[in-house]
Amino acid sequence: MAAGSGGRNGGTNERLALAGMLFAVAMTFIDQTIVSIAAPSIIRELGLSAGAMQWVVNAYLLALAAFFALGGRLSDILGHKRVMLVGTVVFVTASALCGAVPTGNAAEPWLISFRAVQGFGAALLFPAALAVVVEVFPVQRRGRALALFFGVAGGLTAIGPILGGWLTSWTWRAIFWVNVPVAVVALVLTFLARIRNTPRPEPIDWPGAVLVAAGMGLSVLGLQQAAVWGWDSAATWGCIVGGLVVLVLFVLVELRSRDPLITMRVFADRAFSVDNAVLFFAMMSFVPVFFFASVYAQVALGYSANEAGLYLLVFFAGFGPASQIGGRILDRTGAKPAMLLGTVVGAVGFAGWAVKITDLSLGAQWAWIVLAGVGIGLLLTPASTDAVNRAIGRSYGEVTGITQTVRNYSASVSLAVLGTVLLHTATDRITATLEGRGLPAAAARGTAEHITRSLTGSSTGGSAPSGTDPGLLAALRADFAAANRPVLYGMAAALAAAFLCALAHPGTRITTEDEPVRPHPTDGNPEHRGS
């Protein structure tokens, strides 16, 4: 990739710009998984309850979901570079303060509050950083650039458990402090890259921002707490349904707004809508696989947290190279071929992984895990980049906010639904095992529920139950492994749904900047002109 000079880039060094954005988003990706690894140490030192620790994790994800759309819009209005810098400073300052949490009664509100501020900083940072890459690279080479962006950034999610385990052996506070040098490097590279700031002063739709934040926050909260409150709880459905109602109200308000937070007519572009539908279903497989595979590796295979991180890296052995291939396919032929191929390969990979999941050996599974990673890698960059390329009036931050909101919401839905499937399946199988060993039905059920919740709870280290006879321990591990089978089948089904969505893509591609919207000749829908 040649360094940009003059023209649309204004002398920006493309390589340094890409590197700077990668260092910036690295913090947000690592933080999605690193905190859970340090949870036991945080609980012991600060005296937090398991519920409070869950909120330490959830506060970050809730703020991220609630403010992605606003972050993307602010990026367009204030300039991508400026918002990226502000987001980085907010994020790293909150990180440092999380690491400096005092002991005592103030610990819980302090840590939860600054984790939420971290999430807000990430919601500003990520859409702006992605928009910088999109703006810096011409459309003809954008696929390869974003393939590297998503490939490296996605791989960093698996690094979280490994890095978290290593840092926690020194002090858990280091999992937050490590962001400080990373942020410094990101800021230095950003300034050295001479990235232009391109603001577009426009009014901010604050009513829309409040509505989308409330709607996303409420519905994601309901999904996050479903395992705690129960699916039969009025609070669970009150949050989910209430949030969805607010989101419907948000859409109605945006359609009438003179300066909307999200320009709804972008969804009239069939390709843009299909790209987001593919991302919605594909992310049901991609994001939750980190949680389920990590817990499976620790419980069923008996791995340590660090070893579980290495287990996840097998997935990225396929994902990393395939993301580069997907980007090149996008640049040459458009997003549709890569999305179709990726969804098929990914579905086969997850289905094969499901078949082999009860073979408690990485040697029996690795080929299918790699294949699952290949599928996701092939489709992620093309779907994301094609959607961003179709921004109206180069509102890259706005459409990035949309795609990231879709991805984040999809992950929340998947974690809630598949987590419930895992919980109930594991409980039923363990109950049957305990009854088969002579335990009364009621006692077997209660014990099974306790075991399953301890295995899947975020406040545990994830190790399999010990202190019992080896025969029972092996049976419980086999039960938990089998309970992951419907989860992986569910991920394969999600990719099958993504394939059906990809079939509806018109197959056009963006070949020049600022291509106008015009009616599609066959269906009358607005469509970007392309080859």
Side-chain angles (χ1 to χ4, degrees):
M1 296 177 186
S5 59
R8 72 187 295 275
N9 292 335
T12 299
N13 186 303
E14 293 177 359
R15 288 193 181 93
L16 289 180
L18 180 59
M21 298 309 103
L22 277 172
F23 270 93
V25 301
M27 300 183 295
T28 70
F29 275 86
I30 290 175
D31 258 62
Q32 292 182 33
T33 53
I34 196 172
V35 175
S36 294
I37 296 299
S41 298
I42 296 174
I43 289 172
R44 283 195 301 270
E45 182 172 329
L46 299 182
L48 301 182
S49 65
M53 190 62 224
Q54 185 65 37
W55 277 107
V56 171
V57 175
N58 285 351
Y60 176 85
L61 298 175
L62 273 173
L64 198 62
F67 294 110
F68 253 137
L70 176 62
R73 185 67 177 138
L74 287 174
S75 175
D76 286 330
I77 293 174
L78 303 177
H80 308 313
K81 175 184 175 181
R82 180 177 299 164
V83 173
M84 173 265 165
L85 293 174
V86 170
T88 300
V89 171
V90 169
F91 185 92
V92 75
T93 301
S95 295
L97 290 170
C98 284
V101 57
T103 56
N105 294 333
E108 182 177 327
W110 177 294
L111 193 54
I112 292 174
S113 298
F114 284 113
R115 280 288 286 169
V117 175
Q118 258 193 311
F120 175 71
L124 296 178
L125 162 61
F126 189 88
L130 182 54
V132 166
V133 177
V134 170
E135 191 169 51
V136 165
F137 284 87
V139 67
Q140 297 84 357
R141 292 186 288 113
R142 193 172 292 161
R144 279 175 286 176
L146 288 181
L148 185 60
F149 182 91
F150 286 116
V152 173
L156 290 171
T157 310
I159 297 297
I162 301 173
L163 183 62
W166 181 72
L167 291 173
T168 302
S169 65
W170 171 43
T171 170
W172 63 263
R173 296 176 186 270
I175 68 170
F176 297 111
W177 290 338
V178 73
N179 289 325
V180 176
V182 176
V184 170
V185 172
L187 295 174
V188 170
L189 288 173
T190 300
F191 285 113
L192 290 177
R194 302 189 303 279
I195 300 168
R196 293 183 304 158
N197 193 61
T198 53
R200 295 165 47 185
E202 296 174 357
I204 298 176
D205 177 21
W206 290 113
V210 171
L211 285 173
V212 74
M216 287 297 299
L218 270 176
S219 54
V220 170
L221 173 62
L223 291 167
Q224 286 180 339
Q225 293 297 105
V228 178
W229 295 339
W231 284 102
D232 56 350
S233 165
T236 297
W237 288 107
C239 286
I240 295 174
V241 175
L244 292 176
V245 169
V246 174
L247 289 175
V248 170
L249 179 60
F250 164 73
V251 172
L252 296 176
V253 168
E254 295 302 278
L255 289 172
R256 297 184 178 185
S257 176
R258 185 174 180 178
D259 298 291
L261 186 75
I262 293 177
T263 307
M264 290 298 167
R265 67 188 177 95
V266 72
F267 288 98
D269 182 336
R270 193 174 75 191
F272 179 82
S273 295
V274 169
D275 290 334
N276 278 279
V278 169
L279 285 173
F280 180 86
F281 287 108
M283 292 308 101
M284 286 186 166
S285 303
F286 180 51
V287 177
V289 78
F290 303 120
F291 169 75
F292 291 110
S294 177
V295 174
Y296 165 81
Q298 294 177 71
V299 174
L301 302 183
Y303 287 178
S304 67
N306 286 353
E307 290 170 333
L310 295 174
Y311 179 81
L312 290 176
L313 288 181
V314 176
F315 180 90
F316 285 97
F319 176 86
S323 66
Q324 306 305 305
I325 296 172
R328 292 178 183 273
I329 293 174
L330 170 71
D331 288 339
R332 292 174 183 174
T333 62
K336 185 173 184 177
M339 290 193 298
L340 290 173
L341 179 61
T343 51
V344 170
V345 172
V348 171
F350 277 105
W353 190 358
V355 171
K356 292 294 184 180
I357 196 74
T358 53
D359 295 348
L360 301 182
S361 162
L362 178 58
Q365 302 173 27
W366 72 266
W368 299 106
I369 299 174
V370 170
L371 199 61
V374 168
I376 298 293
L378 284 171
L379 69 89
L380 177 59
T381 297
S384 301
T385 308
D386 190 58
V388 173
N389 282 345
R390 295 172 188 276
I392 296 174
R394 295 178 70 179
S395 297
Y396 298 133
E398 179 184 359
V399 295
T400 299
I402 294 171
T403 58
Q404 294 308 309
T405 298
V406 167
R407 291 175 58 174
N408 192 283
Y409 195 75
S410 165
S412 298
V413 171
S414 183
L415 279 168
V417 174
L418 295 180
T420 301
V421 170
L422 176 65
L423 191 68
H424 286 293
T425 306
T427 300
D428 289 344
R429 295 188 69 92
I430 292 174
T431 298
T433 294
L434 294 176
E435 287 181 354
R437 289 177 174 259
L439 203 63
R445 187 73 183 181
T447 303
E449 289 178 351
H450 174 75
I451 291 173
T452 305
R453 290 188 180 278
S454 71
L455 293 177
T456 58
S458 63
S459 63
T460 71
S463 58
S466 57
T468 187
D469 71 89
L472 178 57
L473 187 58
L476 294 177
R477 284 179 169 172
D479 286 338
F480 190 80
N484 278 270
R485 179 171 283 165
V487 171
L488 291 174
Y489 278 135
M491 293 178 178
L495 285 171
F499 172 80
L500 295 177
C501 292
L503 288 173
H505 195 285
T508 56
R509 66 189 182 103
I510 303 300
T511 56
T512 61
E513 301 293 338
D514 294 326
E515 298 190 15
V517 177
R518 66 175 178 84
H520 192 267
T522 59
D523 59 16
N525 291 333
E527 184 65 64
H528 285 273
R529 186 181 68 227
S531 62

